[in-house]
């Protein structure tokens, strides 16, 4: 397993994984390009030369950062890769508080976040438009 920076040439390999992970809410290539162009902190996790997960963090200012995405290929789950990715983002966040949105019905992800002291701080109604699912906003204090 190796974690490395997500570069523009990884986008093509990540897109099918993005579709598998997020279905109708998937990001397009343009959205990934935008994230990288804004110099957000993105990483991929590789196993046997294959990208099996990725994650991104937007650092807003000295106080605040947001987890933009995190995902692990289905066959590679429950082996600690989600934790590795999240810990890499938290390390980059440093002393900043970290916020994120997660679907209210996404219990595996919420459990992962709760184990790193993220707490619910709000709800965004209908945030995931394809299914009209609410998002829970979670925050981890600096
Ligand atoms: C959330 C996700 C990234 C976790 O990845 P992972 O590699 O399986 O995570 P880990 O193996 O590091 O597990 C970390 C912890 O998360 C929780 N967890 C992960 N999957 C779980 C599941 N299916 N049910 C309950 N808890 C789960 C557990 O607390 C787990 O710790 P444990 O294995 O010691 O019990 C992965 O399930 C995923 O990609 N889901 C689809 C995309 C997604 O929903 N991303 C989050 C968007 S906000």
């Amino acid at each position: 397993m190796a974690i490395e920076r997500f570069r523009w040439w990884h986008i093509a390999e990540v897109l099918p994984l993005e579709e598998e992970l997020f279905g109708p809410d998937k990001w397009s290539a343009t959205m990934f390009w935008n994230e990288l162009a804004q110099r957000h902190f993105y990483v991929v996790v590789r196993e046997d030369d294959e990208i099996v997960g990725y994650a991104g963090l937007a650092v807003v200012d000295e106080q605040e950062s947001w987890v933009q995405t995190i995902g692990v290929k289905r066959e590679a789950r429950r082996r600690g890769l989600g934790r590795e990715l999240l810990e890499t983002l938290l390390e980059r966040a440093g002393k900043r508080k970290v916020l994120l949105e997660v679907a209210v019905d996404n219990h595996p992800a919420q459990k992962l976040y709760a184990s790193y002291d993220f707490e619910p701080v709000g709800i965004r109604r209908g945030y995931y438009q394809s299914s009209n699912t609410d998002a829970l906003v979670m925050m981890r204090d600096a």
Side-chain angles (χ1 to χ4, degrees), residues 9-114:
W9 54 86
H10 294 134
I11 293 174
E13 189 178 348
V14 159
L15 286 178
L17 187 47
E18 173 75 10
E19 166 124 50
E20 179 205 307
L21 294 172
F22 299 107
D25 296 314
K26 67 178 184 287
W27 285 3
S28 64
T30 307
M31 290 163 92
F32 280 106
W33 273 104
N34 279 336
E35 289 291 301
L36 298 181
Q38 290 179 72
R39 306 184 76 79
H40 292 165
F41 177 75
Y42 271 73
V43 290
V44 295
V45 56
R46 273 186 191 286
E47 273 184 348
D48 304 327
D49 225 31
E50 182 197 0
I51 293 176
V52 293
Y54 51 94
L57 183 86
V59 174
V60 177
D61 56 27
E62 286 308 308
Q63 274 82 46
E64 184 178 327
S65 61
W66 285 78
V67 173
Q68 301 289 86
T69 189
I70 183 164
V72 172
K73 196 182 168 98
R74 197 172 297 279
E75 301 79 41
R77 289 185 195 161
R78 294 316 284 271
R79 291 199 275 106
L81 297 181
R83 284 187 190 285
E84 291 282 347
L85 286 166
L86 185 56
E87 285 176 21
T88 304
L89 299 189
L90 295 179
E91 202 173 302
R92 174 67 185 87
K95 295 191 187 322
R96 296 169 183 83
K97 64 182 174 191
V98 184
L99 293 108
L100 56 83
E101 285 119 357
V102 56
V104 288
D105 55 2
N106 189 347
H107 301 295
Q110 287 175 33
K111 200 161 168 230
L112 168 65
Y113 300 138

